[in-house]
Amino acid sequence: MPNVAQSSETTDWVSRFADEVIASSERRAPGKPVVVASGLSPSGPIHLGNLREVMTPHLVADEVRRRGYEVRHLISWDDYDRYRKVPAGVPGVDETWAEHIGRPLTSVPAPRGSAHPNWAEHFKAAMTASLAELGVEFDGISQTAQYTSGAYRAQILHAMKHRGDIDAILDQYRTKKTPAKPQQKQLDEAELEAAEGSGAAAEDDGSSGSAGYFPYKPYCGNCEKDLTTVTAYDDDTTELSYTCTACGHTETVRLDEFDRGKLVWKVDWPMRWAHEGVIFEPSGVDHSSPGSSFQVGKEIVGIFGGERPIGPMYAFVGISGMAKMSSSKGGVPTPADALRIMEPQLLRWLYARRRPNQSFKIAFDQEIQRLYDEWDRLAAKVADGSALPGDVAAYTRAVGTAAGELPRTPRPLPYRTLASVADVTAGHQDQALRILSDLDPAHPLRSLDEARPRYDRAEAWINTHVPADQRTIVRSEPDAERLKSLDERDRQSLRLLLDGLDDHWSLDGLTHLVYGVPKVQAGFPADATPKELPAEIKTAQRTFFALLYELLVGRDTGPRLPTLLLAVGQQRVRTLLGE
């Protein structure tokens, strides 16, 4: 694996942040592990926008590890957050879940049929499995466990004691009117939610009425909801009284022994920075605007004796081929969805090659084939030493971590070829192996396992993301009427193709043959380059290709012709082309 340790040549964004993180950690906590953090709210499917919340610090943490430092990557599961709404499109969930709005996520039932004990654990499990596949090493922290065990009790009492100071900081931003910055494109609600990170950016800051300001919200002892208002608090005894607007319940508790509530988000987040000693944590768009959690947290963290971490804002992650991501809408693509159709290395690369503030798209449509072509070209350049240093760094971060390389496909055949083969063979693995073995007769594939897991990803893409009307169905019988209508030029082109099949029966050979037939018909050598040919040869090639598709699959487009011919098999090709 190429070395991406700090050097003058490696100037990618990961290395630059690693430099800052190491310097900050040595200043703030010399001799201690470097701490980076992510926050995820299991309020619904954790989507590919949220994955940037994890991949950004993961990549930085991994670079720091490569340099020999001990690192902790914390993922705070915000499972003690309130259940805000019923997300659409979640199997096993209906409108009756609305009765749980306001309760902790860990107190909400899991979707029907789930093997998990509650809502939060159901969605955490899927993300945890995906992170393992992606090679992400982390320490998970349940905020439910932290709060209900009393781990933050001292911090809660400290916040309540300094509530006036916290209120004064927040009040500066409540009254501040910041002019909106012009944007190149308008972000819609789905995009903002996808970039949001923990999902708590819109929560209130704990402001209260006549009893004053309190940065703490109890969960009601009767209905478990956070629709409560603190009506009194005594600093000396820590007695706190509240009333619940949902059920009318009132209660007085001792906060120095009460563990059924949490700090409001804008206080909770900086409290954790100080408590955990976080050096690096990114934030989504909503958390990074003036007056938002990350900006206000810069001042509030000082009340807890801490310092705000280095924190880049990360941009929106888009999708091509599926509806825009939103946790509140059905069909939201998750890391698990992406990993069904692409190898972990490719998904890691998409996050590694772009700076956090650059948006990018993850392809679920035909664009995935182009992405794989680009990835394979990069792999070839890295192997022969011609890749640029920044590209080598991104590639290396994609294929493995400081702990070693991720499992890879032994024979990484082109994704578009594998997809075409999976399409034509419709699940018949013996046929798929026959075709793939013919791609390179000098080095035939001995088993489909050599092409896995990439073959399985390509097959899954064909089966789940290619519409039925775009699937390839090879004719069972020749189109006698169309064959009868061919003119002499078409007949000649088919004869040239059929005469060359025996000598060109490989992927490269058939590529040469199908592109060469129109050249030969026009009086040029089959190996003539485009520069040596008139423009009309391209038109003749397109016409010839359309004829072959029509006779083989009944439409004018399809998989790449060399792959299609191999898939159909030589004898059947001869039959369908009228021999």
Side-chain angles (χ1 to χ4, degrees), residues 2-7 10 12 15 63 66-67 389 392-394 396-397:
N3 181 19
V4 293
Q6 184 180 18
S7 72
T10 303
D12 68 314
S15 290
E63 170 64 15
R66 291 173 191 260
R67 299 184 190 181
V392 173
T396 305
R397 303 187 200 289

Side-chain angles (χ1 to χ4, degrees), residues 170-190:
L170 292 172
D171 198 50
Q172 298 174 39
Y173 294 92
R174 294 186 193 117
T175 57
K176 187 179 292 185
K177 300 293 183 184
T178 305
K181 293 182 179 180
Q183 293 179 336
Q184 289 184 326
K185 78 177 185 72
Q186 188 68 35
L187 291 179
D188 65 20
E189 183 181 353

Side-chain angles (χ1 to χ4, degrees), residues 38-47 49-51 53-54 76-85 105 189-204 219 226 262 264-266 268-269 272 281-288 292-294 314 326-328:
S38 307
L40 293 174
S41 178
S43 57
I46 300 174
H47 54 62
N50 300 137
L51 182 59
E53 171 83 18
V54 176
S76 275
W77 298 106
D78 291 320
D79 52 13
Y80 207 46
D81 283 1
R82 72 191 308 268
Y83 185 56
R84 295 185 296 154
K85 58 188 174 183
L105 293 170
E189 183 181 353
E191 290 174 327
L192 287 172
E193 187 166 358
E196 195 178 86
S198 77
E203 296 297 322
D204 69 52
Y219 280 109
D226 73 339
K262 70 187 293 289
V264 296
W265 172 247
K266 287 184 179 179
D268 172 80
W269 199 11
R272 288 192 238 159
E281 181 172 5
S283 61
V285 172
D286 269 14
H287 289 312
S288 299
S292 66
S293 330
F294 195 79
Y314 57 84
S326 170
S327 292
S328 62

Side-chain angles (χ1 to χ4, degrees), residues 39-55 77 84-85 87-88 123-124 126-128 130-131 134 189-199 284 314-319 322-339 347 351 360 362 364:
L40 293 174
S41 178
S43 57
I46 300 174
H47 54 62
L48 288 162
N50 300 137
L51 182 59
R52 205 164 200 182
E53 171 83 18
V54 176
M55 290 305 298
W77 298 106
R84 295 185 296 154
K85 58 188 174 183
F123 292 105
K124 284 165 64 176
M127 186 63 167
T128 299
S130 293
L131 293 178
L134 286 163
E189 183 181 353
E191 290 174 327
L192 287 172
E193 187 166 358
E196 195 178 86
S198 77
Y314 57 84
F316 175 63
V317 175
I319 293 295
M322 290 183 74
K324 283 182 177 177
M325 290 180 299
S326 170
S327 292
S328 62
K329 296 176 175 62
V332 52
T334 65
D337 293 324
L339 290 169
L347 189 56
Y351 287 87
F360 65 90
I362 295 176
F364 284 77

Side-chain angles (χ1 to χ4, degrees), residues 160-282:
M160 291 293 277
K161 183 176 181 180
H162 293 274
R163 59 189 179 276
D165 299 325
I166 293 172
D167 190 31
I169 293 170
L170 292 172
D171 198 50
Q172 298 174 39
Y173 294 92
R174 294 186 193 117
T175 57
K176 187 179 292 185
K177 300 293 183 184
T178 305
K181 293 182 179 180
Q183 293 179 336
Q184 289 184 326
K185 78 177 185 72
Q186 188 68 35
L187 291 179
D188 65 20
E189 183 181 353
E191 290 174 327
L192 287 172
E193 187 166 358
E196 195 178 86
S198 77
E203 296 297 322
D204 69 52
D205 60 15
S207 52
S208 187
S210 57
Y213 170 79
F214 300 102
Y216 179 80
K217 272 268 191 184
Y219 280 109
C220 176
N222 181 54
C223 70
E224 286 193 274
K225 297 184 177 181
D226 73 339
L227 302 174
T228 57
T229 300
V230 176
T231 56
Y233 180 69
D234 187 293
D235 285 298
D236 294 329
T237 65
T238 75
E239 280 194 354
L240 178 146
S241 299
Y242 72 87
T243 183
C244 178
T245 58
C247 69
H249 180 69
T250 61
E251 187 177 13
T252 297
V253 299
R254 285 270 304 265
L255 201 53
D256 61 358
E257 58 187 28
F258 179 78
D259 297 318
R260 199 182 61 246
K262 70 187 293 289
L263 292 171
V264 296
W265 172 247
K266 287 184 179 179
V267 181
D268 172 80
W269 199 11
M271 177 276 290
R272 288 192 238 159
W273 293 338
H275 183 68
E276 302 290 356
V278 178
I279 304 295
F280 180 90
E281 181 172 5

Side-chain angles (χ1 to χ4, degrees), residues 4-45:
V4 293
Q6 184 180 18
S7 72
S8 59
E9 291 186 349
T10 303
T11 57
D12 68 314
W13 68 266
V14 179
S15 290
R16 289 193 294 272
F17 275 124
D19 292 341
E20 290 184 51
V21 166
I22 290 169
S24 181
S25 184
E26 289 179 340
R27 173 179 60 82
R28 293 167 53 178
K32 294 184 178 179
V34 178
V35 179
V36 307
S38 307
L40 293 174
S41 178
S43 57

